[in-house]
Coordinates of all heavy atoms in Angstrom, one line a residue:
L153 N -79.2 143.5 17.3 CA -80.6 143.2 16.8 C -81.1 141.9 17.3 O -82.2 141.7 17.8 CB -80.6 143.2 15.3 CG -80.3 144.6 14.6 CD1 -80.3 144.4 13.1 CD2 -81.2 145.7 15.0
M154 N -80.2 140.9 17.3 CA -80.6 139.6 17.8 C -80.8 139.6 19.3 O -81.7 138.9 19.8 CB -79.5 138.5 17.4 CG -79.5 138.2 15.9 SD -78.4 136.9 15.5 CE -76.8 137.7 15.4
A155 N -80.1 140.4 20.0 CA -80.2 140.4 21.5 C -81.6 140.9 21.9 O -82.2 140.5 22.9 CB -79.2 141.3 22.1
V156 N -82.2 141.8 21.1 CA -83.5 142.3 21.5 C -84.6 141.7 20.6 O -85.8 142.1 20.7 CB -83.6 143.9 21.4 CG1 -82.8 144.5 22.5 CG2 -83.2 144.4 20.1
Q157 N -84.2 140.9 19.6 CA -85.2 140.2 18.7 C -86.0 141.2 18.0 O -87.2 141.0 17.7 CB -86.0 139.2 19.5 CG -85.3 138.0 20.0 CD -84.7 137.2 18.8 OE1 -85.4 136.7 18.0 NE2 -83.4 137.1 18.7
K158 N -85.5 142.3 17.6 CA -86.1 143.3 16.7 C -85.2 143.6 15.6 O -84.1 144.1 15.8 CB -86.4 144.6 17.5 CG -87.3 144.4 18.7 CD -88.7 144.0 18.2 CE -89.7 143.8 19.4 NZ -90.9 143.3 19.1
F159 N -85.7 143.4 14.4 CA -84.8 143.5 13.2 C -85.2 144.6 12.3 O -84.5 144.8 11.3 CB -84.8 142.1 12.4 CG -84.3 141.0 13.3 CD1 -85.2 140.2 14.0 CD2 -82.9 140.8 13.5 CE1 -84.7 139.2 14.8 CE2 -82.5 139.8 14.3 CZ -83.3 139.0 15.0
N160 N -86.2 145.4 12.6 CA -86.5 146.6 11.9 C -85.6 147.7 12.3 O -85.2 147.7 13.4 CB -88.0 147.0 12.0 CG -88.3 147.3 13.5 OD1 -88.0 146.5 14.4 ND2 -89.0 148.4 13.7
L161 N -85.3 148.6 11.4 CA -84.5 149.7 11.7 C -85.2 151.0 11.4 O -86.0 151.1 10.4 CB -83.2 149.7 10.9 CG -82.2 148.5 11.2 CD1 -81.1 148.5 10.2 CD2 -81.7 148.6 12.6
P162 N -85.0 152.0 12.2 CA -84.2 152.0 13.5 C -85.0 151.4 14.6 O -86.2 151.4 14.6 CB -84.0 153.5 13.7 CG -85.2 154.2 13.2 CD -85.5 153.4 12.0
N163 N -84.3 150.9 15.6 CA -84.9 150.6 16.9 C -83.9 151.0 18.0 O -82.7 151.0 17.8 CB -85.3 149.1 16.9 CG -84.2 148.2 17.1 OD1 -83.5 148.2 18.1 ND2 -84.0 147.3 16.1
S164 N -84.5 151.4 19.1 CA -83.7 151.9 20.2 C -84.3 151.4 21.5 O -85.5 151.1 21.6 CB -83.7 153.4 20.2 OG -83.2 154.0 19.0
Y165 N -83.4 151.2 22.5 CA -83.8 150.9 23.8 C -83.0 151.7 24.8 O -81.9 152.1 24.6 CB -83.8 149.4 24.1 CG -82.5 148.7 23.8 CD1 -81.6 148.5 24.8 CD2 -82.3 148.2 22.5 CE1 -80.4 147.8 24.5 CE2 -81.1 147.5 22.3 CZ -80.2 147.3 23.2 OH -79.0 146.7 23.0
V166 N -83.7 152.0 26.0 CA -83.1 152.9 27.0 C -82.8 152.0 28.2 O -83.7 151.3 28.7 CB -84.0 154.0 27.4 CG1 -83.3 154.9 28.5 CG2 -84.2 154.9 26.2
I167 N -81.5 152.1 28.7 CA -81.1 151.3 29.8 C -80.9 152.3 31.0 O -80.3 153.3 30.8 CB -79.8 150.6 29.5 CG1 -80.0 149.6 28.4 CG2 -79.3 149.8 30.8 CD1 -78.7 149.1 27.8
D168 N -81.5 152.0 32.1 CA -81.4 152.9 33.3 C -80.0 152.7 34.0 O -79.2 151.9 33.6 CB -82.5 152.7 34.3 CG -82.6 151.4 35.0 OD1 -81.6 150.7 35.0 OD2 -83.6 151.1 35.6

Side-chain angles (χ1 to χ4, degrees):
L153 297 176
M154 289 186 279
V156 291
Q157 290 298 298
K158 297 294 179 189
F159 299 95
N160 61 311
L161 293 174
N163 73 63
S164 300
Y165 50 94
V166 178
I167 302 167
D168 69 15

